[in-house]
Amino acid sequence: MFRTPFPTTVKLGLLRLKNTTPQLQDVVIVGGGPAGLSVLAALKNSSKTAHLSCKLVEGGDLNKIRNFDETAYSNRIISLTNKSMRFMQKIGSWKHLNLDRMQFYDKVAAYDSSSHEALIEFTNDAINYDPMGAMCEVVNIQKSLIARIDELDQSDCLVDNVKVEAIEESTSEIDWPIVKLSNGDAYQTRLLIGADGYNSPVRRYAGIESRGWAYDSFGTVGVLKLASDQYNLVSLQRFLSSGPLAILPLPEDDATFVWSAKTEVASILKSITNDKIFVALINAALRLEETDLKYALNKLQVNPDDTSVIEDLQWRIELFEPNEQLDIPVVIGVQPGSRASFPLKMSHADSYVGPRVALIGDAAHTIHPLAGQGLNMGQADVASLVAAIETGIDRGLDIGSTLVLEPYFAQCFPYNHALLGVCDKLHKIFSNDVYPIILVRSFGMRFMNSLTPIKDFMIKTLSV
Ligand SMILES: Cc1cc2nc3c(=O)[nH]c(=O)nc-3n(C[C@H](O)[C@H](O)[C@H](O)COP(=O)(O)OP(=O)(O)OC[C@H]3O[C@@H](n4cnc5c(N)ncnc54)[C@H](O)[C@@H]3O)c2cc1C
């Protein structure tokens, strides 16, 4: 369980602070990830909140995002729900997305390594044949948001290449928190928004506890080349005993993958330097029985460059009886340098708000990627927080007061809590090789697949 102390001052790294009088701001946002940029774009887009003076502080270089080299795909590619896409349209960033680099999909299919029959499919007939979602690079989303902020003539709000090094309570009459930056500047802000990710300094400053656990698993990601472009309307996931492997569509014959696997397997995947071995392993993981896959993994654990594994797996795949219920893509390549891995964890803050503080995105919650919901939850946080601030302004209230911020917490926390719980249980049930659990989940998948009204309800809840 992660516990945070309750400091009134959070100091992060070495302080090189000038003794400056802090500049007063209505809103300071810490973090220029998708959540932070979304909240700034949304505040500046709304006629009710556009007048608020805002600063967004980001430790990284936002010009790298503005000038992102679009020749290859980046490896952080996520699934966007229709709700998130509508929100991006509402705040005006959608038109700045490079749609040629995105792929909409109409079908979600998941199958279990335990049997060909353990299969569940979701199609878009329940949502009037609208796309069920779209795959999009995180950098494409960030770039579109920065373009929207620039278009609204608010580039001055962006303070990048600068870290928040300390957050202090005020000792003066104005009780607003003071945010001290690595360049020596300081802001004193009516409302401090933590969009600063999993290790959120703002959450620590506010003394808000975050509970959860690390999964002893990593999500290995990368960009693939498929043998055909006929799979680009399908989001496919196979449940293996070490965790799920998802193949998610990109335009034409490209795809991205997320292979969530226990640390032991993930470290074997990481140690493979030869992309041809990796491709052979992905094709095997999509089709073969677990024993065949484990045999290859054991060989690679001894020698990650053992190319004999390629021929061996090919031979086994030729013997494999195709799953007639499901068309499984053939992977022919991996984009050089695109493989990376991220530790997986679940965490949820006890509250998203405190006096003059609001948390959004991964600062408030971190979720297993198997349902592709993390960033979408962050987008919903932003929509709800901005609506709460708008209402506060309509009523003439102080936007930093908990009276204004509480409705945001009340609206988002229960849904996020339920989703975190569901994904956590799914992870535990599916990343498991205990025989009775395999039997129950295999039966459960087949049973669920026949329950069209329940599947339709799930699709409507998650996609619309
Ligand atoms: C393998 C994997 C697959 C995923 N797939 C999906 C998916 O399909 N769909 C989906 O919706 N989500 C998905 N997610 C989750 C999604 O990527 C995250 O939820 C999302 O990127 C979080 O965005 P954020 O802006 O909240 O935080 P972050 O992206 O972590 O941004 C935080 C920012 O704060 C800045 N920062 C932190 N501290 C400071 C400081 N002291 N000073 C200045 N700046 C600071 C950082 O530099 C960073 O830019 C996936 C995650 C993983 C790991």
Side-chain angles (χ1 to χ4, degrees):
M1 188 172 289
F2 305 119
R3 290 191 173 269
T4 45
F6 285 69
T8 50
T9 302
V10 171
K11 289 189 179 170
L12 315 151
L14 283 176
L15 289 180
R16 297 182 299 280
L17 302 176
K18 293 183 259 175
N19 202 5
T20 47
T21 312
Q23 270 181 45
L24 295 186
Q25 296 289 331
D26 289 315
V27 180
V28 169
I29 301 156
V30 184
L37 290 167
S38 293
V39 79
L40 177 60
L43 286 170
K44 288 298 173 185
N45 180 67
S46 160
S47 57
K48 292 183 180 172
T49 54
H51 66 280
L52 297 173
S53 59
C54 297
K55 291 286 178 197
L56 178 151
V57 183
E58 164 57 40
D61 184 354
L62 294 177
N63 272 333
K64 279 194 186 155
I65 294 169
R66 279 196 181 92
N67 306 322
F68 171 65
D69 173 10
E70 299 200 334
T71 45
Y73 285 107
S74 70
N75 57 14
R76 283 190 65 203
I77 305 174
I78 57 99
S79 165
L80 280 174
T81 59
N82 291 327
K83 190 175 168 192
S84 292
M85 291 189 263
R86 277 198 304 275
F87 178 66
M88 291 158 86
Q89 281 162 358
K90 183 179 167 193
I91 64 173
S93 63
W94 179 262
K95 60 179 179 289
H96 297 291
L97 274 172
N98 183 344
L99 296 180
D100 293 342
R101 298 175 72 83
M102 289 175 62
Q103 181 62 52
F104 292 87
Y105 55 86
D106 291 347
K107 181 174 164 182
V108 173
Y111 60 118
D112 195 290
S113 61
S114 62
S115 106
H116 278 359
E117 283 73 42
L119 169 81
I120 185 162
E121 289 180 296
F122 298 91
T123 47
N124 60 351
D125 29 346
I127 49 170
N128 298 324
Y129 301 95
D130 280 341
M132 291 176 78
M135 297 308 300
C136 184
E137 294 158 284
V138 174
V139 70
N140 195 359
I141 297 170
Q142 287 177 285
K143 191 174 171 178
S144 71
L145 289 162
I146 294 173
R148 178 63 180 148
I149 292 161
D150 290 345
E151 182 182 54
L152 291 165
D153 210 9
Q154 299 297 329
S155 318
D156 286 355
C157 297
L158 298 172
V159 181
D160 63 344
N161 292 310
V162 172
K163 284 201 140 196
V164 169
E165 294 212 322
I167 307 171
E168 295 176 2
E169 273 186 0
S170 167
T171 47
S172 69
E173 265 174 39
I174 306 175
D175 68 341
W176 305 356
I178 299 169
V179 180
K180 295 187 168 178
L181 309 186
S182 55
N183 64 0
D185 289 344
Y187 298 122
Q188 188 163 15
T189 181
R190 187 186 289 276
L191 171 61
L192 176 62
I193 300 181
D196 42 359
Y198 169 68
N199 286 316
S200 172
V202 173
R203 192 181 64 228
R204 269 185 285 152
Y205 160 75
I208 297 173
E209 279 203 53
S210 181
R211 295 165 204 276
W213 39 80
Y215 280 120
D216 184 26
S217 291
F218 284 77
T220 302
V221 301
V223 179
L224 302 173
K225 187 62 87 182
L226 305 183
S228 149
D229 60 8
Q230 64 177 288
Y231 301 101
N232 64 9
L233 294 178
V234 186
S235 153
L236 190 72
Q237 182 143 234
R238 189 184 198 205
F239 291 108
L240 299 159
S241 59
S242 72
L245 165 61
I247 305 289
L248 306 153
L250 290 175
E252 298 175 5
D253 54 358
D254 288 308
T256 178
F257 73 91
V258 182
W259 190 342
S260 306
K262 293 197 176 120
T263 306
E264 195 188 359
V265 173
S267 56
I268 301 173
L269 300 181
K270 199 173 177 179
S271 65
I272 300 169
T273 52
N274 183 331
D275 283 344
K276 286 187 179 150
I277 298 179
F278 196 82
V279 166
L281 204 59
I282 286 252
N283 280 318
L286 286 172
R287 312 178 155 71
L288 293 185
E289 291 192 1
E290 294 262 358
T291 38
D292 291 322
L293 187 61
K294 277 182 190 152
Y295 175 75
L297 286 168
N298 285 343
K299 280 181 88 173
L300 291 166
Q301 192 168 29
V302 176
N303 176 10
D305 297 322
D306 183 350
T307 47
S308 72
V309 168
I310 301 175
E311 223 172 285
D312 189 42
L313 287 174
Q314 190 52 42
W315 172 76
R316 285 165 201 262
I317 286 173
E318 278 160 21
L319 296 179
F320 156 80
E321 200 181 312
N323 186 337
E324 281 169 7
Q325 299 188 62
L326 200 62
D327 201 10
I328 299 171
V330 176
V331 179
I332 57 169
V334 56
Q335 183 182 291
S338 68
R339 285 192 277 135
S341 67
F342 301 91
L344 302 181
K345 54 223 163 207
M346 199 276 276
S347 68
H348 204 189
D350 282 357
S351 175
Y352 299 173
V353 300
R356 308 212 168 276
V357 169
L359 304 174
I360 55 171
D362 277 21
H365 41 70
T366 320
I367 191 167
H368 193 288
L370 65 81
Q373 290 299 314
L375 192 145
N376 292 300
M377 289 159 78
Q379 295 292 96
D381 294 345
V382 173
S384 174
L385 175 60
V386 172
I389 296 171
E390 285 174 338
T391 307
I393 287 176
D394 279 345
R395 294 179 183 163
L397 298 171
D398 176 348
I399 61 161
S401 67
T402 42
L403 190 64
V404 168
L405 301 173
E406 278 286 347
Y408 153 56
F409 172 56
Q411 184 177 31
C412 289
F413 184 89
Y415 178 79
N416 288 345
H417 201 67
L419 201 53
L420 281 155
V422 168
C423 289
D424 184 54
K425 305 295 169 295
L426 285 175
H427 162 73
K428 285 179 177 140
I429 293 169
F430 282 98
S431 306
N432 203 305
D433 52 8
V434 177
Y435 191 62
I437 293 181
I438 294 176
L439 274 184
V440 172
R441 78 174 184 227
S442 162
F443 171 77
M445 281 179 91
R446 276 180 281 162
F447 183 61
M448 267 295 289
N449 203 31
S450 62
L451 296 179
T452 307
I454 295 200
K455 288 199 301 180
D456 288 353
F457 174 75
M458 286 167 72
I459 286 305
K460 281 183 189 155
T461 311
L462 284 179
S463 304
V464 177

